[in-house]
Amino acid sequence: MIQNESTMRSVIENNDLALWRGADGVARAWENRCPHRGMRLSYGIVRKNRLTCLYHGWTFNGEGRCDKIPAHPNLDPPTTIGAKVYKCVEVGGLLWVAHTENSSEPPVINGSWIPCRSLHFTKKIALSNLIARMDADPLNAHAQYLNPPDGAKMLLAVQPMGKRGTMLHLTLHAEATREDHLRASRWLIAHRLTTEIIA
Amino acid sequence: MTMPTHLDPFTHAQWYALGRDEDFPDGRKTQTRLLSQDLTVLRRGRTIEVTLPQGQPRPTQHRYGHVWTTFSDTPRALYDIPEFEEVERRLITAGAVHVRCSGLRAVENFLDMAHFPFVHTGILGVEEHAEVEKYDVSMDVERDEIWATNCMFFQPVAAATAKAGGTTKYKYRLPHPYSVILYKTCPPRPGEWDLIGLFIQPTEEDVCIVHSFVLVFDQDNTDTELLHFQQNIFLQDRIILENQIPRRLPLDMRLEIPTRADASSIAFRRWLKANGVTWSTVRAGDME
């Protein structure tokens, strides 16, 4: 969950990411590294729709271009200086991030979805094992729709984080009740108990 | 003695500070690390013994309030700091701070004025005065060290002795890949310089222990006040140092874009490269 005008750090495989949202509500995903001295941009400060690096105040616009270097207030930074920007779309109550050179289309998810639970697993998790006995339709390589017999439709997405394990993100269709959310959340926690403690 | 794979001759040839006398309890062995190797330190009174795991002794010397050793049998001479001879100065050592970064990154951060308004906000800088004026960088060829001079920066509270904001003058001296000394205007004695410096113990390529000192003419502040000022500043820096990617220092200019304010950092990276330093620096494959 990223509030407007704030940042957070995330990881996909070995890619360190700075996720941030401007006052405009648009979510961005950048390489978590200021091009100047390598500082994690997730420690930066968002003012309106620009992100400022904590280390030297280099400031980047929403498209990743550096437009201010405070040590040289009269310098117009060269247009070549910028953060590395990833593709980032927000659908199904989740952010979806890909390398710019990744040609696959962002997922198309109909309707409105509400985030239910994001849970960290210390191991690498194969989605196919997790949903082996469930009624599921694949959305893409990293997400499945699940149709539990006794509740609202769920969307389960996997975020592989290399040696840091896996994040699983669960969202429910907007029609879901409070009970659906509690049941779905308990289901995910039970899975973590099974995979991390009992196994 | 086997050398770690990436240890270059220049890094190997240096003397390194391991701590102050009082950091090693009398008569009891202390384990430490240097350049990815284990060391044992044993103090008996004023005598210090530093040994390798198989018991082979390494040379030691007491200088600048610290105990120094080297792995080299033909070490590069430890540099002189003549100000340590000036009797009116007070020496305050700030102890050992472990930091998960290359010691070279810690040196570079210490050289850098442009971060003051953002990392030491309200103390060493303010955002409204973030400009870094042009300063001079030169090589002392005879001693093989770098100097950055005529550095100026606006500071709200430059030192524990400073009562009001003003432009502080600085000089920086780089006599060793893991030592950096800052000379700054001394508020009670115009014309004199206060010294603040780091003696870094690179334990691993991406972990270091920073030993620091303050050598000043200050008569007003207690040792504790001076220590707190230094520790506060250094802990603000640690947030940065432990979040730079990669942890080792890139020497290739294309990997991190410098500006004119980074002239001293550019000179430092060039100097390391010219001396064949590979230890604790970025290698092919690190940036993938």
Side-chain angles (χ1 to χ4, degrees):
Chain A
M1 176 79 178
I2 311 163
Q3 309 278 355
N4 279 10
E5 291 189 86
S6 73
T7 64
M8 72 171 268
R9 182 183 172 200
S10 193
V11 168
I12 299 176
E13 297 293 2
N14 296 319
N15 302 284
D16 210 310
L17 303 176
L19 307 179
W20 67 279
R21 212 187 279 281
D24 57 8
V26 177
R28 282 99 173 164
W30 294 355
E31 182 183 24
N32 201 5
R33 185 168 190 274
C34 179
H36 175 220
R37 284 296 178 256
M39 179 63 191
R40 285 199 171 98
L41 289 170
S42 56
Y43 280 80
I45 301 148
V46 184
R47 288 172 183 148
K48 301 217 171 93
N49 300 313
R50 295 156 88 217
L51 176 64
T52 296
C53 178
L54 178 66
Y55 198 0
H56 299 96
W58 284 30
T59 299
F60 303 85
N61 69 16
E63 286 69 55
R65 215 194 112 186
C66 176
D67 60 13
K68 186 180 166 195
I69 296 177
H72 305 296
N74 302 317
L75 174 85
D76 237 344
T79 54
T80 49
I81 299 182
K84 186 181 170 194
V85 176
Y86 292 97
K87 287 187 194 172
C88 180
V89 296
E90 193 169 14
V91 286
L94 296 167
L95 289 182
W96 303 81
V97 175
H99 278 291
T100 39
E101 53 269 29
N102 183 326
S103 57
S104 67
E105 291 297 315
V108 177
I109 298 169
N110 296 321
S112 176
W113 294 73
I114 310 293
C116 170
R117 189 93 196 209
S118 289
L119 216 54
H120 179 243
F121 289 63
T122 56
K123 293 176 190 157
K124 199 178 172 90
I125 300 290
L127 207 49
S128 53
N129 294 344
L130 198 63
I131 58 163
R133 272 175 282 163
M134 295 190 73
D135 175 13
D137 317 306
L139 168 69
N140 63 22
H142 304 289
Q144 295 268 348
Y145 289 112
L146 303 177
N147 303 297
D150 56 349
K153 196 169 182 177
M154 308 191 288
L155 176 58
L156 182 65
V158 181
Q159 178 187 354
M161 303 195 296
K163 63 177 192 284
R164 295 178 179 87
T166 310
M167 282 295 285
L168 287 184
H169 304 284
L170 190 62
T171 67
L172 300 193
H173 196 267
E175 289 164 358
T177 62
R178 186 181 141 77
E179 283 66 39
D180 288 327
H181 274 268
L182 287 171
R183 197 182 302 119
S185 175
R186 281 195 294 263
W187 169 78
L188 195 59
I189 290 168
H191 263 295
R192 185 165 69 177
L193 276 173
T194 317
T195 50
E196 309 248 301
I197 297 165
I198 300 163
Chain B
M1 189 177 111
T2 52
M3 295 216 316
T5 321
H6 297 287
L7 189 54
D8 56 89
F10 192 66
T11 303
H12 181 255
Q14 308 295 329
W15 285 89
Y16 292 95
L18 302 177
R20 304 161 298 186
D21 260 358
E22 61 266 36
D23 295 329
F24 306 105
D26 204 353
R28 210 168 74 213
K29 287 179 176 175
T30 304
Q31 299 297 325
T32 190
R33 297 272 288 172
L34 178 63
L35 304 174
S36 291
Q37 296 172 75
D38 288 317
L39 281 178
T40 303
V41 182
L42 174 61
R43 180 164 72 89
R44 291 193 184 98
R46 276 285 288 167
T47 314
I48 290 269
E49 292 165 24
V50 173
T51 46
L52 292 167
Q54 284 78 40
Q56 309 94 309
R58 292 311 313 163
T60 59
Q61 55 178 314
H62 280 93
R63 272 181 100 179
Y64 317 135
H66 289 75
V67 175
W68 299 72
T69 194
T70 180
F71 285 133
S72 174
D73 296 326
T74 51
R76 180 173 179 250
L78 184 57
Y79 51 89
D80 284 317
I81 311 178
E83 291 81 2
F84 270 85
E85 311 295 320
E86 296 172 5
V87 290
E88 278 176 81
R89 289 182 182 269
R90 286 166 61 197
L91 171 67
I92 296 99
T93 50
V97 182
H98 290 245
V99 189
R100 283 168 293 179
C101 72
S102 156
L104 303 172
R105 285 234 189 241
V107 168
E108 229 186 56
N109 174 71
F110 194 81
L111 278 179
D112 174 68
M113 289 182 284
H115 75 287
F116 291 164
F118 301 93
V119 181
H120 310 297
T121 317
I123 307 171
L124 300 184
V126 284
E127 224 180 307
E128 300 72 54
H129 297 274
E131 182 163 16
V132 177
E133 305 277 356
K134 192 180 175 304
Y135 56 90
D136 300 315
V137 179
S138 58
M139 274 303 297
D140 179 330
V141 180
E142 196 188 321
R143 290 190 288 186
D144 194 22
E145 59 182 52
I146 304 168
W147 281 84
T149 51
N150 294 318
C151 309
M152 297 216 274
F153 207 76
F154 178 86
Q155 301 195 315
V157 193
T161 44
K163 300 285 180 281
T167 299
T168 308
K169 275 193 190 163
Y170 282 94
K171 292 192 287 189
Y172 292 94
R173 179 182 174 200
L174 278 164
H176 179 297
Y178 292 92
S179 295
V180 53
I181 302 163
L182 156 67
Y183 299 72
K184 74 201 285 189
T185 32
C186 168
R189 289 201 187 192
E192 295 282 5
W193 299 90
D194 281 340
L195 271 64
I196 302 171
L198 306 182
F199 302 138
I200 295 170
Q201 176 185 351
T203 51
E204 312 297 335
E205 283 194 276
D206 58 358
V207 186
C208 64
I209 301 174
V210 179
H211 307 282
S212 64
F213 71 89
V214 179
L215 190 66
V216 294
F217 287 110
D218 185 328
Q219 301 293 342
D220 300 337
N221 288 280
T222 63
D223 284 5
T224 308
E225 284 166 332
L226 290 168
L227 177 73
H228 285 179
F229 185 84
Q230 279 317 112
Q231 286 191 335
N232 184 35
I233 296 295
F234 197 72
L235 294 180
Q236 291 175 335
D237 284 320
R238 188 162 72 170
I239 298 167
I240 300 296
L241 292 172
E242 298 200 332
N243 283 289
Q244 283 177 276
I245 302 173
R247 285 205 214 168
R248 291 201 288 262
L249 186 73
L251 297 188
D252 182 338
M253 214 77 84
R254 289 166 301 182
L255 296 176
E256 292 186 350
I257 304 164
T259 70
R260 201 185 63 209
D262 302 307
S264 55
S265 135
I266 295 167
F268 179 53
R269 294 183 188 196
R270 281 201 186 125
W271 179 71
L272 294 173
K273 216 172 178 173
N275 280 302
V277 172
T278 51
W279 176 265
S280 209
T281 68
V282 166
R283 292 184 286 272
D286 282 358
M287 302 290 286
E288 282 160 19

